Amino acid sequence: MSDAESNAIGRSGRLLFVATILTGSFLLFLVQPMVARMALPRLGGAPAVWNSAMLVYQTLLLAGYAYAHALGRIRPMAQAAVHLGVLLVAGAWLPIGLALGAGPAGVSLAVWVPWLLGASIGPLFFAVSAQAPLVQRWFSMASRGGDPYALYAASNLGSFAGLIAYPLVVEPLLTLRTQSLVWSAGYVLLIALVVGCAWHLPRGEGKAAARPTSEPATHRRIAHWIALALVPSGLMLATSTYITTDIVAMPLLWVLPLGLYLLSFSVAFATDRFLADLLTRIAPITILLFGGVMVGGFNESPLVNLAIALTLLFMASVALHTQLYRLRPAPDRLTGFYLAMAVGGALGGVFAALIAPVVFDWTYEYPILIFAAGLLVPQLYLTRAVRSLWTTPRRRLLAYAVVTVLLVVLAGLTFRGPRDLFGDGHQGLTFIVIALIGVIAIGARPAYALTLAVALVIFGGWRAVELSLEQGARTRSYFGVYTVRDRPGVRELDHGTTVHGIQFIGNPILERLPTTYYAPPSGIGRAMSALDPLYGPRARVGVVGLGTGTLACYAQPGQRWRFYEIDPVVVHIARDTGQFTYLRNCLPNPTIRIGDARLSLEQDAPDSLDLLALDAFSSDAIPAHLMTREAFRAYARVLQPKGLLLVHISNRFLDLEPVVAALARDGGWHAAKLFYQPPRYTAIASASQWIALSRDPATLAALAKRGGQWQPLTPRAGLTPWTDDYSTILPLLKWGP
């Protein structure tokens, strides 16, 4: 800051503006995961719920930026009066909570989630979202022309801190009620800080003090701003969907892409340009090398994939946001610039959260946005020798010919053998060839674009298209991507990278055999074999999570079964397509209740089930609202006093046994676990972890007599039961193999 700026508002005034920016941004992004967490008992834990929430936030952010831009047309003190009035009116929505009850029957979550969140925090989010552009504009006026863009870096640093603080500090330490009260106190502090900033605004000046004097941006420049903002925003949501669908389905990871996206603004708009310029220079290399790898993916190394995906997002976002910084207007046009950025951000959200799930049967938005980032990112030739190839007419023609021929040959060989260009296990050689071509192509945008497109296709895009062209092989819904794969003698249903069911095909006897986590020696298999001895021939069974319908083949004549399934697409795959025949062969007319299982169970009659199996995990994501004290009370109510509750806790990333142990102790349940590890030669059965609970110890004792190594649960000291008001997965993470 120059001496003139410092003299205009003083050091304390400058710190006041920084504190206001940081506080507003911190609160803005603290509230996002907080409200999403409040909504979990009603909405479930699908990644698409988070993307829908993000679309709401981006829309409200756009509205806030439009309001800030419109406010700039009136005199400074009038701006302050209007904005303080808006903040006070929005305060009527404090303390934060959900404004509406359960969604109406038949209303899609894609519609209900935006409506619920908008009604709950819309006015508050709108008022706070206007802080960043408005306070920066005020700073420019108060400092008599000072550059406010460094404050935008501070704004996004505050946003990043608020977002990351939630899963790491706020959620583990505070209940939702306390979180809401603390946020309300922060909002009151924000109003006081805004009053302090308003005190520094020029007095006695009319509209001329706020009227821009610099040259307005052209329509082409505005479109460029929008495109540069659209791609990182869409890529952030696409990355969230991709890593939670195809790599690590863990709700905690939803905040990481958004956090890195926000951090990229802080780097791109920082006063010190070294890091932004460095990352921008190497971003084209990162996009080219990592983009193809991510589309192909390595399911056996999910954490490596995660790191690559997040690195790719961060590098691309920094480069594109740095280009936005380079194209920024004078400070008097600041609000229009941020409005264009907000339009781009909202359009990116619409594409990734609304259009893509409807139009595509896979996460095609991810490679599309990677390619768009490659087209927009600034590029420089890596060496003088490479530059001379593309700047001399004859050499340029030769370079284009060589690059094109090499890429055509690579693509042609890949289409002949899409499993891998050089055979299984030699994908690294393909990677090296693409990298060498890319080194030559970076800086020559058409050649670079062609190289990137070929990389995306040969590493995974072609395989994705093949599955899309195969009738019935893949389906996408609001809750994820489902893929049906045929292997010799078996058919498999995958949700993301998690197997949801395997069935033998071509053998009428084997087609009825329960497989994977539900094999006869598993915990649920032992419990099903005990139904008749425990409850007689008319046992009543409930299953939360349909999958392929595997458990239906434990059903016996006279028993009454009902399934609870949140996703109609799963019901269609298991019952209607004929791809899986468990239901048709074993339970032709099952009762299937579509909707959130907890809400459905709460409507069931008391003591109406003898056994309830909880197997509702989508990929490896944990629907936390099904693992709370309130949920277990609902299970206890619907089960008869001697009933059995079977909880499936197999998970690659979380140790859920302590959670169930805490809930059992809290609710007066008796519990035992059976961890089944099939023999190596049994490829059709999967290792599984089931916990059996009952309020009657004699029921558990009778179950144990049916065989299997049932053991007591191992509680974890200090771990309190999850509730609708409090839960955290941090203590449950599996850090080792």
PDB file of all heavy atoms in Angstrom, residues 21 44 47 55 97 114 131 151 166 179 235 251 254 258 324 335 344 401 422 495 510 515 525 609 628 639 671 711 729:
ATOM      1  N   ILE A  21     -13.213  -8.178   5.636  1.00  0.00           N
ATOM      2  CA  ILE A  21     -13.165  -9.129   4.521  1.00  0.00           C
ATOM      3  C   ILE A  21     -12.972 -10.555   5.034  1.00  0.00           C
ATOM      4  O   ILE A  21     -13.675 -11.497   4.629  1.00  0.00           O
ATOM      5  CB  ILE A  21     -12.020  -8.754   3.561  1.00  0.00           C
ATOM      6  CG1 ILE A  21     -12.420  -7.569   2.683  1.00  0.00           C
ATOM      7  CG2 ILE A  21     -11.624  -9.931   2.697  1.00  0.00           C
ATOM      8  CD1 ILE A  21     -13.309  -7.917   1.519  1.00  0.00           C
ATOM      9  N   GLY A  44     -29.721 -37.340   3.195  1.00  0.00           N
ATOM     10  CA  GLY A  44     -28.780 -38.423   2.940  1.00  0.00           C
ATOM     11  C   GLY A  44     -27.403 -37.890   2.608  1.00  0.00           C
ATOM     12  O   GLY A  44     -27.138 -36.696   2.659  1.00  0.00           O
ATOM     13  N   PRO A  47     -22.972 -37.694  -2.891  1.00  0.00           N
ATOM     14  CA  PRO A  47     -22.169 -36.567  -3.377  1.00  0.00           C
ATOM     15  C   PRO A  47     -22.999 -35.538  -4.124  1.00  0.00           C
ATOM     16  O   PRO A  47     -22.695 -34.347  -4.080  1.00  0.00           O
ATOM     17  CB  PRO A  47     -21.156 -37.255  -4.309  1.00  0.00           C
ATOM     18  CG  PRO A  47     -21.055 -38.656  -3.807  1.00  0.00           C
ATOM     19  CD  PRO A  47     -22.413 -39.002  -3.291  1.00  0.00           C
ATOM     20  N   LEU A  55     -24.453 -25.528  -5.877  1.00  0.00           N
ATOM     21  CA  LEU A  55     -25.153 -24.748  -6.896  1.00  0.00           C
ATOM     22  C   LEU A  55     -25.999 -23.657  -6.239  1.00  0.00           C
ATOM     23  O   LEU A  55     -26.058 -22.519  -6.737  1.00  0.00           O
ATOM     24  CB  LEU A  55     -26.039 -25.669  -7.743  1.00  0.00           C
ATOM     25  CG  LEU A  55     -26.840 -24.990  -8.849  1.00  0.00           C
ATOM     26  CD1 LEU A  55     -25.912 -24.299  -9.836  1.00  0.00           C
ATOM     27  CD2 LEU A  55     -27.721 -26.002  -9.566  1.00  0.00           C
ATOM     28  N   GLY A  97     -30.790 -22.580  11.072  1.00  0.00           N
ATOM     29  CA  GLY A  97     -31.444 -23.876  11.202  1.00  0.00           C
ATOM     30  C   GLY A  97     -32.192 -24.172   9.919  1.00  0.00           C
ATOM     31  O   GLY A  97     -32.272 -23.327   9.023  1.00  0.00           O
ATOM     32  N   PRO A 114     -32.171 -27.490  -3.315  1.00  0.00           N
ATOM     33  CA  PRO A 114     -32.049 -26.032  -3.461  1.00  0.00           C
ATOM     34  C   PRO A 114     -33.140 -25.263  -2.717  1.00  0.00           C
ATOM     35  O   PRO A 114     -32.870 -24.213  -2.124  1.00  0.00           O
ATOM     36  CB  PRO A 114     -32.153 -25.814  -4.978  1.00  0.00           C
ATOM     37  CG  PRO A 114     -31.697 -27.104  -5.573  1.00  0.00           C
ATOM     38  CD  PRO A 114     -32.200 -28.161  -4.632  1.00  0.00           C
ATOM     39  N   GLN A 131     -20.231  -9.041   0.723  1.00  0.00           N
ATOM     40  CA  GLN A 131     -19.150  -8.393   1.467  1.00  0.00           C
ATOM     41  C   GLN A 131     -17.884  -8.194   0.628  1.00  0.00           C
ATOM     42  O   GLN A 131     -17.305  -7.116   0.610  1.00  0.00           O
ATOM     43  CB  GLN A 131     -18.788  -9.221   2.703  1.00  0.00           C
ATOM     44  CG  GLN A 131     -19.841  -9.251   3.770  1.00  0.00           C
ATOM     45  CD  GLN A 131     -20.072  -7.879   4.356  1.00  0.00           C
ATOM     46  OE1 GLN A 131     -21.183  -7.385   4.346  1.00  0.00           O
ATOM     47  NE2 GLN A 131     -19.029  -7.268   4.839  1.00  0.00           N
ATOM     48  N   LEU A 151      -7.090  -7.430  -1.345  1.00  0.00           N
ATOM     49  CA  LEU A 151      -8.102  -7.818  -0.369  1.00  0.00           C
ATOM     50  C   LEU A 151      -8.887  -9.045  -0.836  1.00  0.00           C
ATOM     51  O   LEU A 151      -9.427  -9.792  -0.023  1.00  0.00           O
ATOM     52  CB  LEU A 151      -9.073  -6.659  -0.115  1.00  0.00           C
ATOM     53  CG  LEU A 151      -8.530  -5.455   0.664  1.00  0.00           C
ATOM     54  CD1 LEU A 151      -9.635  -4.440   0.864  1.00  0.00           C
ATOM     55  CD2 LEU A 151      -7.964  -5.894   2.000  1.00  0.00           C
ATOM     56  N   TYR A 166     -14.162 -26.261   9.436  1.00  0.00           N
ATOM     57  CA  TYR A 166     -15.365 -26.991   9.831  1.00  0.00           C
ATOM     58  C   TYR A 166     -15.092 -28.471  10.102  1.00  0.00           C
ATOM     59  O   TYR A 166     -15.364 -28.957  11.206  1.00  0.00           O
ATOM     60  CB  TYR A 166     -16.473 -26.833   8.786  1.00  0.00           C
ATOM     61  CG  TYR A 166     -17.758 -27.430   9.294  1.00  0.00           C
ATOM     62  CD1 TYR A 166     -18.552 -26.723  10.189  1.00  0.00           C
ATOM     63  CD2 TYR A 166     -18.150 -28.719   8.946  1.00  0.00           C
ATOM     64  CE1 TYR A 166     -19.704 -27.277  10.712  1.00  0.00           C
ATOM     65  CE2 TYR A 166     -19.301 -29.278   9.462  1.00  0.00           C
ATOM     66  CZ  TYR A 166     -20.074 -28.556  10.343  1.00  0.00           C
ATOM     67  OH  TYR A 166     -21.203 -29.112  10.886  1.00  0.00           O
ATOM     68  N   GLN A 179     -22.737 -24.723  17.163  1.00  0.00           N
ATOM     69  CA  GLN A 179     -22.190 -24.158  15.932  1.00  0.00           C
ATOM     70  C   GLN A 179     -23.060 -23.002  15.439  1.00  0.00           C
ATOM     71  O   GLN A 179     -22.554 -21.946  15.027  1.00  0.00           O
ATOM     72  CB  GLN A 179     -22.105 -25.228  14.849  1.00  0.00           C
ATOM     73  CG  GLN A 179     -21.106 -26.330  15.113  1.00  0.00           C
ATOM     74  CD  GLN A 179     -21.232 -27.458  14.098  1.00  0.00           C
ATOM     75  OE1 GLN A 179     -21.659 -27.245  12.975  1.00  0.00           O
ATOM     76  NE2 GLN A 179     -20.874 -28.669  14.506  1.00  0.00           N
ATOM     77  N   LEU A 235     -15.015 -27.431 -12.818  1.00  0.00           N
ATOM     78  CA  LEU A 235     -14.019 -28.472 -12.549  1.00  0.00           C
ATOM     79  C   LEU A 235     -13.978 -28.819 -11.070  1.00  0.00           C
ATOM     80  O   LEU A 235     -13.762 -29.980 -10.701  1.00  0.00           O
ATOM     81  CB  LEU A 235     -12.642 -28.006 -13.028  1.00  0.00           C
ATOM     82  CG  LEU A 235     -11.517 -29.046 -12.974  1.00  0.00           C
ATOM     83  CD1 LEU A 235     -11.845 -30.247 -13.846  1.00  0.00           C
ATOM     84  CD2 LEU A 235     -10.195 -28.412 -13.424  1.00  0.00           C
ATOM     85  N   PRO A 251     -17.497 -38.358   2.587  1.00  0.00           N
ATOM     86  CA  PRO A 251     -18.047 -37.013   2.641  1.00  0.00           C
ATOM     87  C   PRO A 251     -17.057 -35.956   3.094  1.00  0.00           C
ATOM     88  O   PRO A 251     -17.152 -34.805   2.673  1.00  0.00           O
ATOM     89  CB  PRO A 251     -19.199 -37.163   3.647  1.00  0.00           C
ATOM     90  CG  PRO A 251     -19.627 -38.585   3.514  1.00  0.00           C
ATOM     91  CD  PRO A 251     -18.350 -39.344   3.262  1.00  0.00           C
ATOM     92  N   TRP A 254     -15.522 -33.874   0.369  1.00  0.00           N
ATOM     93  CA  TRP A 254     -16.274 -32.915  -0.426  1.00  0.00           C
ATOM     94  C   TRP A 254     -15.697 -31.510  -0.267  1.00  0.00           C
ATOM     95  O   TRP A 254     -15.754 -30.710  -1.199  1.00  0.00           O
ATOM     96  CB  TRP A 254     -17.740 -32.910  -0.005  1.00  0.00           C
ATOM     97  CG  TRP A 254     -18.458 -34.194  -0.264  1.00  0.00           C
ATOM     98  CD1 TRP A 254     -18.009 -35.263  -0.995  1.00  0.00           C
ATOM     99  CD2 TRP A 254     -19.738 -34.557   0.218  1.00  0.00           C
ATOM    100  NE1 TRP A 254     -18.942 -36.264  -1.000  1.00  0.00           N
ATOM    101  CE2 TRP A 254     -20.023 -35.865  -0.263  1.00  0.00           C
ATOM    102  CE3 TRP A 254     -20.699 -33.925   1.004  1.00  0.00           C
ATOM    103  CZ2 TRP A 254     -21.210 -36.525   0.021  1.00  0.00           C
ATOM    104  CZ3 TRP A 254     -21.874 -34.574   1.276  1.00  0.00           C
ATOM    105  CH2 TRP A 254     -22.126 -35.865   0.795  1.00  0.00           C
ATOM    106  N   LEU A 258     -13.324 -27.768  -2.958  1.00  0.00           N
ATOM    107  CA  LEU A 258     -13.748 -26.382  -2.764  1.00  0.00           C
ATOM    108  C   LEU A 258     -12.672 -25.580  -2.040  1.00  0.00           C
ATOM    109  O   LEU A 258     -12.403 -24.422  -2.381  1.00  0.00           O
ATOM    110  CB  LEU A 258     -15.059 -26.344  -1.977  1.00  0.00           C
ATOM    111  CG  LEU A 258     -15.604 -24.951  -1.643  1.00  0.00           C
ATOM    112  CD1 LEU A 258     -15.803 -24.123  -2.912  1.00  0.00           C
ATOM    113  CD2 LEU A 258     -16.913 -25.064  -0.860  1.00  0.00           C
ATOM    114  N   LEU A 324      -7.345 -14.315 -14.956  1.00  0.00           N
ATOM    115  CA  LEU A 324      -8.371 -13.352 -14.567  1.00  0.00           C
ATOM    116  C   LEU A 324      -7.738 -12.129 -13.916  1.00  0.00           C
ATOM    117  O   LEU A 324      -8.121 -10.982 -14.199  1.00  0.00           O
ATOM    118  CB  LEU A 324      -9.351 -14.003 -13.588  1.00  0.00           C
ATOM    119  CG  LEU A 324     -10.567 -14.725 -14.172  1.00  0.00           C
ATOM    120  CD1 LEU A 324     -11.307 -15.480 -13.068  1.00  0.00           C
ATOM    121  CD2 LEU A 324     -11.502 -13.748 -14.854  1.00  0.00           C
ATOM    122  N   THR A 335     -16.746  -4.110  -9.181  1.00  0.00           N
ATOM    123  CA  THR A 335     -17.951  -4.904  -8.911  1.00  0.00           C
ATOM    124  C   THR A 335     -18.471  -5.586 -10.181  1.00  0.00           C
ATOM    125  O   THR A 335     -18.995  -6.701 -10.123  1.00  0.00           O
ATOM    126  CB  THR A 335     -19.050  -4.028  -8.297  1.00  0.00           C
ATOM    127  OG1 THR A 335     -19.291  -2.900  -9.149  1.00  0.00           O
ATOM    128  CG2 THR A 335     -18.625  -3.537  -6.912  1.00  0.00           C
ATOM    129  N   GLY A 344     -19.854 -16.656 -14.288  1.00  0.00           N
ATOM    130  CA  GLY A 344     -19.104 -17.829 -14.724  1.00  0.00           C
ATOM    131  C   GLY A 344     -19.153 -18.948 -13.707  1.00  0.00           C
ATOM    132  O   GLY A 344     -19.342 -20.121 -14.060  1.00  0.00           O
ATOM    133  N   ALA A 401       2.897 -31.581 -38.629  1.00  0.00           N
ATOM    134  CA  ALA A 401       2.778 -32.869 -39.311  1.00  0.00           C
ATOM    135  C   ALA A 401       3.272 -34.002 -38.425  1.00  0.00           C
ATOM    136  O   ALA A 401       2.622 -35.050 -38.304  1.00  0.00           O
ATOM    137  CB  ALA A 401       3.562 -32.831 -40.625  1.00  0.00           C
ATOM    138  N   PHE A 422       0.175 -50.475 -25.127  1.00  0.00           N
ATOM    139  CA  PHE A 422       1.317 -51.381 -25.189  1.00  0.00           C
ATOM    140  C   PHE A 422       1.091 -52.639 -24.355  1.00  0.00           C
ATOM    141  O   PHE A 422       2.015 -53.294 -23.920  1.00  0.00           O
ATOM    142  CB  PHE A 422       2.581 -50.658 -24.697  1.00  0.00           C
ATOM    143  CG  PHE A 422       2.965 -49.509 -25.580  1.00  0.00           C
ATOM    144  CD1 PHE A 422       2.777 -48.208 -25.148  1.00  0.00           C
ATOM    145  CD2 PHE A 422       3.504 -49.713 -26.839  1.00  0.00           C
ATOM    146  CE1 PHE A 422       3.134 -47.135 -25.953  1.00  0.00           C
ATOM    147  CE2 PHE A 422       3.857 -48.649 -27.648  1.00  0.00           C
ATOM    148  CZ  PHE A 422       3.668 -47.359 -27.216  1.00  0.00           C
ATOM    149  N   HIS A 495     -21.033 -49.529  -7.930  1.00  0.00           N
ATOM    150  CA  HIS A 495     -21.418 -48.142  -7.666  1.00  0.00           C
ATOM    151  C   HIS A 495     -20.129 -47.393  -7.401  1.00  0.00           C
ATOM    152  O   HIS A 495     -19.520 -47.550  -6.359  1.00  0.00           O
ATOM    153  CB  HIS A 495     -22.340 -48.063  -6.452  1.00  0.00           C
ATOM    154  CG  HIS A 495     -22.867 -46.683  -6.211  1.00  0.00           C
ATOM    155  ND1 HIS A 495     -23.679 -46.365  -5.155  1.00  0.00           N
ATOM    156  CD2 HIS A 495     -22.713 -45.523  -6.901  1.00  0.00           C
ATOM    157  CE1 HIS A 495     -23.989 -45.088  -5.194  1.00  0.00           C
ATOM    158  NE2 HIS A 495     -23.404 -44.561  -6.240  1.00  0.00           N
ATOM    159  N   LEU A 510     -26.699 -71.912  -9.405  1.00  0.00           N
ATOM    160  CA  LEU A 510     -25.764 -70.916  -8.890  1.00  0.00           C
ATOM    161  C   LEU A 510     -26.339 -69.505  -8.913  1.00  0.00           C
ATOM    162  O   LEU A 510     -25.922 -68.644  -8.130  1.00  0.00           O
ATOM    163  CB  LEU A 510     -24.458 -70.952  -9.692  1.00  0.00           C
ATOM    164  CG  LEU A 510     -23.610 -72.217  -9.538  1.00  0.00           C
ATOM    165  CD1 LEU A 510     -22.365 -72.133 -10.403  1.00  0.00           C
ATOM    166  CD2 LEU A 510     -23.230 -72.436  -8.071  1.00  0.00           C
ATOM    167  N   THR A 515     -23.777 -63.973  -2.838  1.00  0.00           N
ATOM    168  CA  THR A 515     -22.336 -63.805  -3.039  1.00  0.00           C
ATOM    169  C   THR A 515     -21.843 -62.548  -2.327  1.00  0.00           C
ATOM    170  O   THR A 515     -22.574 -61.904  -1.586  1.00  0.00           O
ATOM    171  CB  THR A 515     -22.025 -63.697  -4.539  1.00  0.00           C
ATOM    172  OG1 THR A 515     -22.734 -62.567  -5.066  1.00  0.00           O
ATOM    173  CG2 THR A 515     -22.467 -64.950  -5.294  1.00  0.00           C
ATOM    174  N   GLY A 525     -25.332 -63.775   6.465  1.00  0.00           N
ATOM    175  CA  GLY A 525     -25.701 -65.143   6.083  1.00  0.00           C
ATOM    176  C   GLY A 525     -26.043 -65.983   7.296  1.00  0.00           C
ATOM    177  O   GLY A 525     -27.025 -66.753   7.283  1.00  0.00           O
ATOM    178  N   LEU A 609     -41.030 -55.714  12.676  1.00  0.00           N
ATOM    179  CA  LEU A 609     -39.957 -56.478  12.048  1.00  0.00           C
ATOM    180  C   LEU A 609     -39.294 -57.387  13.076  1.00  0.00           C
ATOM    181  O   LEU A 609     -39.179 -57.030  14.263  1.00  0.00           O
ATOM    182  CB  LEU A 609     -38.901 -55.553  11.445  1.00  0.00           C
ATOM    183  CG  LEU A 609     -39.283 -54.750  10.189  1.00  0.00           C
ATOM    184  CD1 LEU A 609     -38.147 -53.812   9.795  1.00  0.00           C
ATOM    185  CD2 LEU A 609     -39.627 -55.685   9.035  1.00  0.00           C
ATOM    186  N   THR A 628     -26.907 -42.651  13.754  1.00  0.00           N
ATOM    187  CA  THR A 628     -27.004 -41.766  14.911  1.00  0.00           C
ATOM    188  C   THR A 628     -27.897 -42.372  15.990  1.00  0.00           C
ATOM    189  O   THR A 628     -28.619 -43.358  15.756  1.00  0.00           O
ATOM    190  CB  THR A 628     -27.582 -40.402  14.502  1.00  0.00           C
ATOM    191  OG1 THR A 628     -28.937 -40.587  14.037  1.00  0.00           O
ATOM    192  CG2 THR A 628     -26.749 -39.757  13.400  1.00  0.00           C
ATOM    193  N   LEU A 639     -38.367 -52.744  15.460  1.00  0.00           N
ATOM    194  CA  LEU A 639     -38.061 -54.145  15.756  1.00  0.00           C
ATOM    195  C   LEU A 639     -38.846 -54.615  16.978  1.00  0.00           C
ATOM    196  O   LEU A 639     -39.056 -53.854  17.928  1.00  0.00           O
ATOM    197  CB  LEU A 639     -36.561 -54.314  16.026  1.00  0.00           C
ATOM    198  CG  LEU A 639     -35.629 -54.328  14.813  1.00  0.00           C
ATOM    199  CD1 LEU A 639     -34.181 -54.210  15.266  1.00  0.00           C
ATOM    200  CD2 LEU A 639     -35.832 -55.599  13.980  1.00  0.00           C
ATOM    201  N   ALA A 671     -24.412 -56.516  21.630  1.00  0.00           N
ATOM    202  CA  ALA A 671     -23.840 -56.536  20.279  1.00  0.00           C
ATOM    203  C   ALA A 671     -22.699 -57.530  20.176  1.00  0.00           C
ATOM    204  O   ALA A 671     -21.991 -57.810  21.153  1.00  0.00           O
ATOM    205  CB  ALA A 671     -23.349 -55.143  19.898  1.00  0.00           C
ATOM    206  N   GLN A 711     -17.776 -62.201  18.084  1.00  0.00           N
ATOM    207  CA  GLN A 711     -16.927 -61.662  19.143  1.00  0.00           C
ATOM    208  C   GLN A 711     -17.521 -60.367  19.692  1.00  0.00           C
ATOM    209  O   GLN A 711     -18.278 -59.679  18.997  1.00  0.00           O
ATOM    210  CB  GLN A 711     -15.520 -61.387  18.604  1.00  0.00           C
ATOM    211  CG  GLN A 711     -14.801 -62.613  18.075  1.00  0.00           C
ATOM    212  CD  GLN A 711     -13.460 -62.251  17.448  1.00  0.00           C
ATOM    213  OE1 GLN A 711     -13.139 -61.081  17.261  1.00  0.00           O
ATOM    214  NE2 GLN A 711     -12.680 -63.265  17.100  1.00  0.00           N
ATOM    215  N   ILE A 729     -16.009 -37.908  11.536  1.00  0.00           N
ATOM    216  CA  ILE A 729     -15.357 -39.131  11.075  1.00  0.00           C
ATOM    217  C   ILE A 729     -13.846 -39.087  11.275  1.00  0.00           C
ATOM    218  O   ILE A 729     -13.165 -40.071  11.005  1.00  0.00           O
ATOM    219  CB  ILE A 729     -15.669 -39.408   9.594  1.00  0.00           C
ATOM    220  CG1 ILE A 729     -15.055 -38.322   8.697  1.00  0.00           C
ATOM    221  CG2 ILE A 729     -17.153 -39.545   9.373  1.00  0.00           C
ATOM    222  CD1 ILE A 729     -15.149 -38.653   7.219  1.00  0.00           C
TER     223      ILE A 729
END
